Amino acid sequence: MGKAFQRSFIRLSVVLAVAVAGSTGAGAQTAPFIAKAEQAYMIDAETGTVLLTQNESQNFPPASLAKLMTVEVMLDALKKGEVSAETQYPVSEYAWRTGGAPSRTSTMFAQLKSSVGINDLLTGIIVQNANDGCIIVAEGMAGSDAAFAKRMTTRAAELGMNRSTFANSTGLPDPGNQTTAKDMVRLAQHLHDTYPDQYGLFTKPDFEWNRIFQRNKNTLLALGVGIDGMGLGFAEGSGYAAVVSAGRDGRRVYLALAGIADEKTRQEEARRVVDWGLTNFEKRHLFTKGEAVGSVSVYGGDVSHIDLAPGEDISVLVPVNNPDRLSGRIVYNWPLRAPLENGANAGTLRVFSGERLLREVPLYATTAVGKGTLTQNAMGALKELLLFWL
């Protein structure tokens, strides 16, 4: 087989420009919105539109934000029946010394050699940011804090948090604790959507354990802009961080901020960014479920082209004032090869505002494609060869 003939069968990623309904010409440009943070990422809950990006895939130490992953592992175990509301775990000396009263860190003051129920531990971790609660859960569920951290990392990967690793359940200083703003937003949305029955714990105003009363340590809840979760963090050399879920007037956003200079700035930026995200955008409908977005070529089939369509209605949010022009691009492996089932995932639609990526949506074949005849296959191979060398 000749070299040219071999190369004609290499699968290439092809980008096709498509017309996006409702796009507008750019008006007078305004300065881009910038958060006072090294890393920032915010999305709209309903449409998935990316509203803000700043080094969103750059790693930083999560500090106490790691507890959100601990909470997810706990809730997942409850959902699967691995543990129940009646499950209790003992308070070891390690948990007591490392995260309890002697540690002088955030604690629920679990008493040494006592036992604590899973629901109380969950409440203590969410409301009081309890390090002892995390370690008690880790030892109870996995035998040790290190073993539980491996489970956290595995679970994070399952959720698509591919740049996050965990070395302990608490987020206490360790180089093995790493995450990104994008991963934290993914986790926040997952917690809100997957565990609605327990989500209210994030707004629980206070919790008393071992006769010690403590108010919710998430100070962002009092800002009055719709914030109802999720967590705060601080790491030496990296600064202050926050993961936020906020809802208002039928809208919800998820936000992660990190690398903030001080606690006061974190408060101010959380308020400013959330308010901007919830008030500065309007919804624009682009495509309806099943509507053809574009046509792509097929090799070796009884037809040479098929239409691709989304499996859901597609809308995005655009700035109210002076939006950039919207554009769409279909990305797929060229050429698609027959046979194809009707509804097969065959590409992705990327929607841009100017050069900023807003959404990525899977596209599906609108019809089945059978194997072509020898003549059709020969003509397809010739066409593919010519297109490859153009």
Side-chain angles (χ1 to χ4, degrees):
M1 183 181 290
K3 181 178 180 182
F5 190 69
Q6 290 178 354
R7 293 187 65 183
S8 71
F9 283 89
I10 296 175
R11 295 173 67 83
L12 301 175
S13 178
V14 172
V15 179
L16 300 178
V18 297
V20 175
S23 61
T24 64
Q29 296 299 301
T30 57
F33 184 91
I34 299 175
K36 296 177 183 176
E38 288 295 321
Q39 297 90 11
Y41 189 66
M42 180 165 63
I43 65 169
D44 171 65
E46 180 188 2
T47 67
T49 302
V50 178
L51 306 179
L52 177 66
T53 59
Q54 289 176 209
N55 301 316
E56 69 276 11
S57 296
Q58 184 180 87
N59 282 106
F60 66 88
S64 284
L65 297 181
K67 294 181 174 72
L68 295 176
M69 195 69 237
T70 296
V71 166
E72 200 289 326
V73 173
M74 295 173 68
L75 293 176
D76 182 56
L78 280 164
K79 187 176 183 179
K80 293 175 178 175
E82 181 182 338
V83 298
S84 71
E86 290 71 42
T87 300
Q88 297 210 355
Y89 292 129
V91 182
S92 69
E93 183 168 349
Y94 176 76
W96 179 70
R97 289 193 181 280
T98 306
S103 70
R104 299 184 180 274
T105 64
S106 297
T107 178
M108 64 186 290
F109 294 98
Q111 189 173 350
L112 178 63
K113 297 182 180 180
S114 67
S115 292
V116 186
I118 193 76
N119 284 337
D120 290 323
L121 290 166
L122 188 63
T123 305
I125 294 168
I126 291 175
V127 177
Q128 299 172 338
N129 215 22
N131 288 316
D132 51 353
C134 290
I135 300 172
I136 293 165
V137 167
E139 293 179 332
M141 289 183 64
S144 71
D145 199 27
F148 186 81
K150 291 181 180 178
R151 178 167 174 172
M152 292 167 67
T153 300
T154 299
R155 179 61 177 160
E158 292 172 356
L159 298 178
M161 299 168 60
N162 297 317
R163 292 184 61 84
S164 294
T165 59
F166 300 94
N168 53 48
S169 61
T170 58
L172 289 171
D174 189 295
N177 286 324
Q178 295 290 322
T179 192
T180 68
K182 191 172 184 178
D183 279 1
M184 281 288 111
V185 163
R186 184 183 290 271
L187 177 59
Q189 184 168 26
H190 170 78
L191 286 169
H192 177 272
D193 293 349
T194 309
Y195 310 109
D197 293 341
Q198 291 90 359
Y199 184 74
L201 287 174
F202 286 100
T203 56
K204 186 175 172 62
D206 51 62
F207 182 56
E208 181 176 341
W209 187 257
N210 197 20
R211 299 182 181 179
I212 299 173
F213 175 89
Q214 295 185 76
R215 297 194 180 279
N216 195 309
K217 292 188 179 297
N218 187 350
T219 55
L220 303 185
L221 298 173
L223 292 179
V225 291
I227 296 174
D228 52 24
M230 292 193 175
L232 305 177
F234 169 75
E236 288 287 348
S238 188
Y240 291 79
V243 173
V244 171
S245 174
R248 195 169 80 215
D249 300 328
R251 288 273 319 284
R252 179 166 293 275
V253 295
Y254 300 102
L255 166 69
L257 298 168
I260 301 174
D262 53 63
E263 189 171 3
K264 181 174 182 291
T265 302
R266 178 172 63 186
Q267 295 285 113
E268 294 171 348
E269 283 302 278
R271 181 201 300 273
R272 186 176 75 96
V273 177
V274 165
D275 195 56
W276 174 78
L278 289 173
T279 61
N280 198 58
F281 294 85
E282 60 185 2
K283 190 175 178 180
R284 196 72 57 80
H285 175 75
L286 303 182
F287 296 100
T288 301
K289 177 181 178 179
E291 178 184 353
V293 172
S295 178
V296 297
S297 62
V298 180
Y299 172 74
D302 51 12
V303 295
S304 61
H305 289 77
I306 59 168
D307 289 337
L308 299 184
E312 59 180 300
D313 290 350
I314 302 177
S315 298
V316 296
L317 296 185
V318 296
V320 173
N321 298 317
N322 303 318
D324 287 331
R325 184 175 181 82
L326 295 180
S327 63
R329 304 170 193 171
I330 296 176
V331 181
Y332 74 106
N333 286 330
W334 173 85
L336 296 176
R337 294 179 183 271
L340 278 175
E341 294 182 357
N342 185 8
N345 185 195
T348 301
L349 173 65
R350 294 178 178 172
V351 181
F352 293 82
S353 176
E355 294 301 315
R356 185 166 63 90
L357 178 63
L358 298 181
R359 287 194 68 179
E360 291 188 287
V361 183
L363 295 177
Y364 303 92
T366 58
T367 184
V369 180
K371 282 284 190 180
T373 64
L374 289 176
T375 300
Q376 287 172 323
N377 290 346
M379 292 299 294
L382 178 61
K383 180 180 177 181
E384 183 183 354
L385 181 63
L386 291 173
L387 288 174
F388 180 78
W389 287 107
L390 286 178

